[in-house]
Amino acid sequence: VALNRTNCVTGNCYSFDDVDDNINATTSVTRYPFTLEAWAKFDSGNAYDSVIHLSDADSAVIYYGIRRVETSNIIQMDARNPDQISTTSSTIAVTNNVWTHLTLVFNNETGRDLYINGAFNNYSNDNVTFASGVDRTLIGLFRLTSPDDYMDGNIDNVRIYNKALTSAEIQD
């Protein structure tokens, strides 16, 4: 991962190469509610570009996060544990090479809200309980086991909240 000091939303951002760049850190999120938030600027690249995911380091079937589907430029919100899966797409496409503010609010087992550039975009009410094995925050990567969906572009100002942000908090 390269630290980029120009053309960022804030002072510095990270550039990801679509090959193997990622940031892998422990997470403090252990249950609902929580919120994932980041600015992303997508280049053309993978079929999917992962922005941020919470994951289990030892499982390919436990993850919660945000990624872009390159073929349509829609944003996809993911929630999965070993027994339940929910994948819901945005209703609008994002533009390549333009900074986009993405926020995914995980309210509870049956409530996830997606905001794009501060505006509510879509929701999911599929039931997905929070898996106890979540131990990693992955930026620019989908999952550690069978790693894929590396980010091609830049990510800035990543934030994780141990609460569900309100619409007013997201718009600030």
Side-chain angles (χ1 to χ4, degrees):
V1 177
L3 183 61
N4 187 347
R5 298 184 191 281
T6 60
N7 301 317
C8 300
V9 174
T10 58
N12 298 316
C13 58
Y14 292 100
S15 295
F16 296 83
D17 68 2
D18 190 25
V19 177
D20 59 1
D21 286 350
N22 69 89
I23 298 170
N24 174 353
T26 58
T27 189
S28 62
V29 175
T30 58
R31 60 184 165 80
Y32 296 124
F34 64 92
T35 302
L36 305 177
E37 181 179 51
W39 285 87
K41 184 167 77 169
F42 301 100
D43 296 337
S44 58
N46 273 336
Y48 293 93
D49 288 305
S50 291
V51 178
I52 182 170
H53 277 81
L54 304 184
S55 179
D56 180 334
D58 299 319
S59 174
V61 295
I62 297 176
Y63 51 83
Y64 306 84
I66 308 168
R67 57 186 166 163
R68 177 192 66 148
V69 180
E70 186 187 314
T71 55
S72 59
N73 273 358
I74 60 167
I75 299 301
Q76 182 172 295
M77 50 182 169
D78 300 315
R80 183 172 185 184
N81 66 34
D83 302 313
Q84 301 157 313
I85 185 169
S86 173
T87 301
T88 305
S89 299
S90 64
T91 61
I92 62 171
V94 297
T95 304
N96 284 345
N97 299 307
V98 173
W99 282 106
T100 304
H101 184 235
L102 302 170
T103 307
L104 180 50
V105 180
F106 290 81
N107 297 297
N108 52 45
E109 293 177 0
T110 58
R112 286 169 297 287
D113 298 322
L114 175 64
Y115 292 79
I116 298 177
N117 293 325
F120 175 79
N121 180 266
N122 205 356
Y123 72 96
S124 171
N125 59 6
D126 296 335
N127 186 48
V128 180
T129 56
F130 192 83
S132 61
V134 172
D135 58 358
R136 309 304 306 163
T137 297
L138 303 174
I139 301 171
L141 174 65
F142 179 51
R143 58 186 170 209
L144 287 176
T145 57
S146 307
D148 58 1
D149 300 348
Y150 289 100
M151 175 70 173
D152 184 16
N154 299 298
I155 299 175
D156 197 1
N157 210 15
V158 173
R159 295 180 182 197
I160 301 170
Y161 300 90
N162 284 319
K163 69 174 198 165
L165 292 182
T166 65
S167 293
E169 290 172 315
I170 293 167
Q171 293 169 358
D172 281 345

